[in-house]
Amino acid sequence: CVTAAWSFKLSYYNEYKSYLSTAMSTVSVEQLQAAVTQQGAIVRKLKQSEPSADELAAAIEELKLRKSALAAAEKALAALEPQVDRAKFENCMKRRFFYGASFSLYGGVAGLFDLGPAGCALKANMINFWRNHFVVEENMLEVECTSLTPEYVLKASGHVDRFSDYMVKDAKTGDCYRADHLLEAHLEKQLGSKGVSASDKEEMSAVLRQIDNYGMQELGDLIKKYNCKAPVTGNELTDIGEFNLMFGTSIGPTGLLRGFMRPETAQGIFVNFKRLLEYNQDKMPFAGAQIGQSFRNEISPRSGLLRVREFCQAEIEHFLDPEDKSHPKFQLVSGVPVRLYSAKAQTDGSKILEMSVGEALSTGVLQSETMGYFLARIQQYLIAVGIPPNCLRFRQHMGNEMAHYACDCWDAECKTTYGWVEIVGCADRSCYDLNAHAKATSTKLVAQQRLENPVTREVLEVAVNKAVLGKAFKKQAGAVTATLNALSDVEKEDLKEKLESSDSFKLSVGDISVEITSDMISSIQKVSKTEHVREFVPSVIEPSFGIGRILYCILETNFKVREGDEKRTWLDLPPLIAPTKCSVLPLSSHSDFIPYVQRISADLRKLGIPNKVDDSSGAIGRRYARTDEIGIPFGITVDFDTVKLETVTVRERNTCSQVRVPMSDVASLIHKLCTEQATWSDAKASYPEFVGQETI
């Protein structure tokens, strides 16, 4: 009974309140949100059951307490997170041309962006490390496939029919909006409104937690329920509908062959599976990898680089036995701690799980060693390129948001000023893609496992009348025969029954349907077959990296302001991926400094270290600030002691501390610092500290 469960004397309430306050301070924000929702339901039930005034007052007071605890926890959590002034950040990106709107001379096009020199170098460094971290380390097979894809390939993969988002339009202007984004923005605005009741806010929060889990009908109903309008005009909205995200085109001058710009790089790997398996000497498991541009005609591009219409992907397709999803290197990562936000936790409002990959597997949160292995490796990559660990989590897809090809999926998400943003998806695509392309082309896309003990079993075998079949189907006879042989025993039994009862049978061969008559089939009978190898269609685990999104998150989460000087902004980029590793700065324009600057720059280039010479006029501190703003981690200054003693100062960006180093050592030191063979602490221990040259 609700009344009995929450009934207590008010004389004990203050003591209980103190206890509850202490308890609430030890739980997560997610648990507090669930507690508020639970207590809100209790209050509503009490109001319907004619409680005493004391009981109702106590329950309402407790609800207020829980809300207060939740607000305090959210405020404390926000204080722990790095605060970024997005306007200041975007101004820096624009001034330093990390990226900018494409065709801005003509006013720009939504969802299209250009990378500037610093952005290009940052992206190249990210991709180079990605290749080393995954392709080289895991012996993956890299391919480069065309972006232009024939329609029949994407028809087979399911993209033509199902690669869609839900859309609504402004009923008067025709402006288009992605339905879930529109609902999300509307509810977030309502949550900040004072005129909305506490119970309604709780309900809206519950909807927002599952925003990615709603289908088209549910989204449409919610948009109507909350009376959503067109954001710009306030006009009514049309009914919800589907919008395919692929860019269509035609291939060749006749226009008869339809095509699309690929929406993902994955299909190029799948259609080359047989070649890759042969290249790998028929050994399983193995992985294919590809880096390249993909294209999606987003309904309403927004949030800068986070939602664009052309973007760079780096994808891995790890092919493995569906009956054995273990990974030989899993033990190397089993102790790696990860933050997992499961589908169950999202549904019931419970907290993010913080545990090792091994614990997640043993408790059933993760379903396979291979999925766990890649989540750990993805996290290692993201942290290495600069994503702060406290801004990173893995969120499991809920049922309705799962892609048509996936049976499980975890997204690596980064916390930004736009909220949690997906930057890597890791999907278990099972056997979907290979089965789809095998069916469409009547080609077996299988791997083999040699059996230690041969297996004899009874199978149904279809014997065709080649003369009749060849006369009827001519060039297609081979494909028809292959399709008949590929039928399962259940399908062959069905074929036999239909031919006996109706003398014909409709068979799907790729995209066409053909009629099989009884005179084309000699027999369908059981035969004993001894198998020395086991054939299977491999499953696929697919880590898919959005390079542009990762790049944006690196820049935003590493954008900082110097303490005590709000005007001095800087980027805390790891040396591993910094566009420029080192600056070379003459103290002044004195002609004696020129040969030393040239010599140091040449020595750095010989070691493959990108460097920037800044011999512009202005105080040395101001030039340090300029290099800090584009994330250059180290600076070498040539001064009068360089001329006298052949020593230079080396400055570290984060601490602004400097050491005095002989010119003969400086290039080698910078190389060691940039390749993590030495730390700045090592440099400070090896060379004398230098104080000065920092005033702007």
Side-chain angles (χ1 to χ4, degrees):
C1 174
V2 172
T3 304
W6 290 95
S7 173
F8 48 82
K9 293 182 179 180
L10 287 179
S11 59
Y12 296 111
Y13 189 71
N14 287 336
E15 183 180 343
Y16 173 78
K17 180 176 176 180
S18 175
Y19 160 77
L20 188 61
S21 179
T22 303
M24 286 301 185
S25 68
T26 65
V27 298
S28 70
V29 170
E30 290 81 6
Q31 287 174 307
L32 291 172
Q33 289 171 336
V36 168
T37 301
Q38 180 190 48
Q39 186 62 18
I42 288 170
V43 170
R44 286 193 295 274
K45 287 182 180 179
L46 276 174
K47 288 180 178 178
Q48 296 170 1
S49 60
E50 299 182 1
S52 68
D54 288 352
E55 287 175 334
L56 182 58
I60 292 173
E61 181 65 21
E62 184 179 341
L63 178 60
K64 291 179 180 178
L65 176 63
R66 293 191 179 201
K67 287 182 177 180
S68 176
L70 174 60
E74 289 176 333
K75 186 176 180 180
L77 184 64
L80 292 174
E81 294 176 353
Q83 301 298 309
V84 176
D85 184 330
R86 193 195 299 163
K88 190 176 289 187
F89 165 73
E90 290 178 348
N91 177 263
C92 175
M93 295 299 102
K94 183 178 180 180
R95 284 188 296 104
R96 297 304 185 186
F97 195 17
F98 275 88
Y99 62 87
S102 300
F103 315 110
S104 58
L105 193 63
Y106 290 87
V109 178
L112 299 180
F113 287 86
D114 297 332
L115 295 181
C120 281
L122 176 59
K123 176 184 172 183
N125 292 339
M126 290 167 56
I127 289 174
N128 286 340
F129 179 62
W130 189 90
R131 277 198 174 97
N132 288 330
H133 188 77
F134 291 107
V135 178
V136 175
E137 179 65 27
E138 310 293 344
N139 291 312
M140 294 177 178
L141 310 179
E142 187 174 354
V143 297
E144 183 178 321
C145 306
T146 64
S147 297
L148 192 58
T149 308
E151 181 185 35
Y152 47 74
V153 174
L154 294 168
K155 179 73 173 176
S157 69
H159 287 81
V160 170
D161 297 322
R162 287 177 283 182
F163 195 69
S164 304
D165 276 340
Y166 303 127
M167 180 176 73
V168 291
K169 294 182 180 180
D170 184 313
K172 292 185 179 179
T173 67
D175 290 341
C176 301
Y177 303 96
R178 185 166 146 175
D180 57 337
H181 289 171
L182 181 137
L183 176 63
E184 184 177 22
H186 177 76
L187 293 183
E188 286 175 348
K189 184 178 180 180
Q190 291 298 304
L191 286 174
S193 173
K194 294 181 179 179
V196 180
S197 69
S199 60
D200 286 343
K201 286 187 177 182
E202 289 164 20
E203 183 182 283
M204 291 175 185
S205 296
V207 170
L208 285 172
R209 284 199 299 273
Q210 299 191 61
I211 193 72
D212 293 320
N213 197 33
Y214 296 118
M216 183 170 73
Q217 185 62 48
E218 293 168 305
L219 273 176
D221 292 343
L222 287 167
I223 286 171
K224 290 178 181 177
K225 176 180 178 179
Y226 291 109
N227 197 28
C228 297
K229 306 291 185 183
V232 178
T233 63
N235 294 331
E236 295 293 328
L237 297 167
T238 62
D239 290 337
I240 193 169
E242 287 187 307
F243 175 74
N244 192 284
L245 297 175
M246 294 193 295
F247 285 100
T249 186
S250 60
I251 302 173
T254 64
L256 298 178
L257 178 57
R258 285 198 70 205
F260 295 93
M261 302 304 291
R262 65 184 180 192
E264 61 177 12
T265 64
Q267 296 307 317
I269 300 175
F270 292 129
V271 298
N272 280 298
F273 168 75
K274 285 187 72 173
R275 291 171 172 173
L276 291 170
L277 181 62
E278 182 181 346
Y279 184 90
N280 203 47
Q281 299 177 321
D282 295 324
K283 293 178 182 177
M284 289 284 295
F286 74 92
Q290 182 168 195
I291 302 168
Q293 297 298 102
S294 293
F295 307 83
R296 297 181 185 178
N297 195 12
E298 293 286 349
I299 295 169
S300 50
R302 60 178 189 173
S303 310
L305 293 181
L306 296 180
R307 189 163 295 281
V308 294
R309 288 174 167 146
E310 179 180 350
F311 54 95
C312 180
Q313 278 187 304
E315 290 194 296
I316 297 164
E317 310 302 330
H318 181 86
F319 298 97
L320 72 167
D321 188 337
E323 296 181 7
D324 180 12
K325 293 188 177 182
S326 62
H327 197 285
K329 295 166 69 175
F330 179 75
Q331 291 306 317
L332 297 177
V333 302
S334 62
V336 173
V338 289
R339 302 173 70 224
L340 302 173
Y341 195 23
S342 67
K344 182 179 182 300
Q346 294 168 67
T347 302
D348 60 25
S350 55
K351 66 176 182 177
I352 293 174
L353 301 170
E354 298 188 17
M355 57 176 63
S356 71
V357 173
E359 289 174 316
L361 183 66
S362 64
T363 55
V365 178
L366 296 178
Q367 301 303 312
S368 72
E369 283 190 2
T370 299
M371 176 65 80
Y373 178 77
F374 277 111
L375 292 188
R377 294 285 290 152
I378 289 166
Q379 178 172 282
Q380 289 171 344
Y381 171 80
L382 293 174
I383 292 174
V385 296
I387 301 295
N390 64 313
C391 294
L392 183 62
R393 73 179 185 187
F394 289 96
R395 186 185 68 83
Q396 187 179 28
H397 281 206
M398 292 185 282
N400 283 347
E401 67 171 312
M402 203 83 71
H404 65 271
Y405 48 71
C407 63
D408 190 21
C409 186
W410 291 82
D411 286 344
E413 295 184 330
C414 181
K415 184 66 178 293
T416 72
T417 57
Y418 291 104
W420 287 100
V421 173
E422 172 199 350
I423 53 178
V424 185
C426 194
D428 186 337
R429 297 180 76 128
S430 63
C431 309
Y432 175 86
D433 297 275
L434 293 182
N435 277 332
H437 291 301
K439 182 179 180 182
T441 60
S442 301
T443 303
K444 289 173 71 173
L445 298 177
V446 296
Q448 294 184 336
Q449 177 191 28
R450 184 163 295 280
L451 300 174
E452 293 183 9
N453 300 309
V455 176
T456 300
R457 62 188 182 93
E458 284 193 337
V459 296
L460 277 177
E461 188 174 81
V462 178
V464 301
N465 186 329
K466 293 183 180 179
V468 177
L469 202 71
K471 185 177 180 180
F473 298 114
K474 297 181 173 58
K475 290 182 179 180
Q476 286 187 315
V480 173
T481 302
T483 303
L484 287 168
N485 290 331
L487 295 175
S488 67
D489 280 2
V490 174
E491 290 170 324
K492 289 174 182 177
E493 193 67 54
D494 184 46
L495 170 62
K496 183 179 180 181
E497 291 176 2
K498 287 189 176 178
L499 289 178
E500 288 173 352
S501 62
S502 64
D503 202 40
S504 67
F505 176 82
K506 291 289 185 182
L507 180 70
S508 295
V509 181
D511 288 336
I512 64 171
S513 178
V514 299
E515 186 175 10
I516 303 297
T517 56
S518 57
D519 60 336
M520 297 176 184
I521 307 298
S522 299
S523 64
I524 302 176
Q525 58 186 4
K526 286 187 177 181
V527 297
S528 293
K529 205 170 187 179
T530 301
E531 297 177 344
H532 296 272
V533 296
R534 167 180 161 255
E535 282 190 346
F536 61 90
V537 180
S539 278
V540 175
I541 302 293
E542 178 197 66
S544 177
F545 295 72
I547 298 298
R549 287 189 172 196
I550 298 172
L551 183 148
Y552 176 87
C553 291
I554 291 170
L555 291 170
E556 189 191 279
T557 56
N558 287 281
F559 180 75
K560 299 184 178 180
V561 178
R562 289 287 180 203
E563 189 174 347
D565 189 348
E566 290 295 313
K567 293 183 179 180
R568 288 190 65 179
T569 59
W570 59 288
L571 287 171
D572 186 11
L573 300 178
L576 176 71
I577 56 136
T580 304
K581 311 296 185 189
C582 184
S583 59
V584 184
L585 312 173
L587 185 62
S588 68
S589 59
H590 199 288
S591 59
D592 287 353
F593 297 153
I594 295 174
Y596 295 98
V597 169
Q598 293 173 342
R599 177 176 147 194
I600 292 168
S601 182
D603 289 344
L604 291 170
R605 289 197 302 272
K606 286 176 185 177
L607 293 176
I609 301 171
N611 62 90
K612 177 181 176 63
V613 175
D614 186 351
D615 55 4
S616 59
S617 60
I620 190 69
R622 191 176 298 278
R623 283 182 282 158
Y624 284 151
R626 283 202 295 261
T627 62
D628 292 347
E629 201 167 35
I630 57 175
I632 299 177
F634 304 106
I636 299 171
T637 303
V638 175
D639 58 17
F640 290 104
D641 280 348
T642 308
V643 179
K644 294 177 185 177
L645 306 172
E646 291 220 340
T647 62
V648 294
T649 66
V650 176
R651 174 184 179 271
E652 195 264 342
R653 174 198 61 211
N654 292 22
T655 62
C656 297
S657 59
Q658 300 183 57
V659 292
R660 194 98 208 170
V661 180
M663 274 191 63
S664 57
D665 291 358
V666 70
S668 175
L669 173 62
I670 297 298
H671 182 263
K672 289 177 181 177
L673 290 170
C674 290
T675 55
E676 299 183 343
Q677 297 177 52
T679 65
W680 183 243
S681 296
D682 296 331
K684 291 177 74 173
S686 301
Y687 300 101
E689 186 176 4
F690 177 81
V691 180
Q693 298 179 355
E694 196 57 49
T695 304
I696 294 181

